[in-house]
Amino acid sequence: QVRLMESGGGSVNTGGSLQLSCVGFGWTDDDYCVGWFRERPRKEREGLAVIHMGVGKMTYADSVEDRLTISRDRSKSTVYLQMDSLKPDDTGVYYCAARHALFPGCSMGYVGQYSGWGQGTQVTVSS
């Protein structure tokens, strides 16, 4: 069973950048979609981006601006989320999770399709 752990959150000022990391344990192969999600205060958890661990194909949620970039390092079993030009509205807890890939590419899908959730990493952006 895949388990994931996030890190890299912190407090930054508006316009700052952060790189979040998501390391996975228990992989049996590369046929996994790993997604980044966030939960902002008083809002539901939402998907941001997903990447196929094997082929590296990326998909972003329609609501995501160009400020986010997802990538992965297979040798480290790690998926990254680079966040630039951060705004106070980006404040929240960021999570990663995985689901088995049926095809060599991943759609964002919905929260309930994913498992192996980590405890999240807090991102706070001050104005």
Side-chain angles (χ1 to χ4, degrees):
Q1 184 176 357
V2 174
R3 294 178 295 111
L4 299 141
M5 183 171 66
E6 308 91 344
S7 63
S11 297
V12 297
N13 293 325
T14 297
S17 297
L18 284 173
Q19 185 181 66
L20 308 183
S21 298
C22 168
V23 60
F25 306 91
W27 306 106
T28 57
D29 52 48
D30 283 340
D31 289 329
Y32 279 94
C33 301
V34 177
W36 277 102
F37 302 79
R38 71 180 174 190
E39 194 168 308
R40 294 180 288 181
R42 298 174 297 280
K43 295 186 178 180
E44 293 185 351
R45 191 169 300 187
E46 60 178 331
L48 299 173
V50 62
I51 191 167
H52 190 284
M53 287 300 292
V55 300
K57 183 178 178 181
M58 302 160 284
T59 300
Y60 294 89
D62 292 340
S63 61
V64 171
E65 303 171 23
D66 292 339
R67 301 180 294 114
L68 303 183
T69 304
I70 191 171
S71 61
R72 95 309 187 206
D73 184 333
R74 293 170 63 190
S75 67
K76 297 181 180 179
S77 297
T78 299
V79 175
Y80 303 97
L81 185 68
Q82 176 68 37
M83 304 191 296
D84 299 313
S85 302
L86 284 163
K87 306 174 182 178
D89 195 43
D90 293 317
T91 293
V93 181
Y94 285 68
Y95 300 88
C96 60
R99 60 185 175 94
H100 206 270
L102 299 178
F103 307 102
C106 306
S107 60
M108 188 71 241
Y110 55 91
V111 171
Q113 292 178 301
Y114 290 80
S115 62
W117 296 89
Q119 291 187 328
T121 186
Q122 175 71 43
V123 171
T124 303
V125 185
S126 302
S127 58

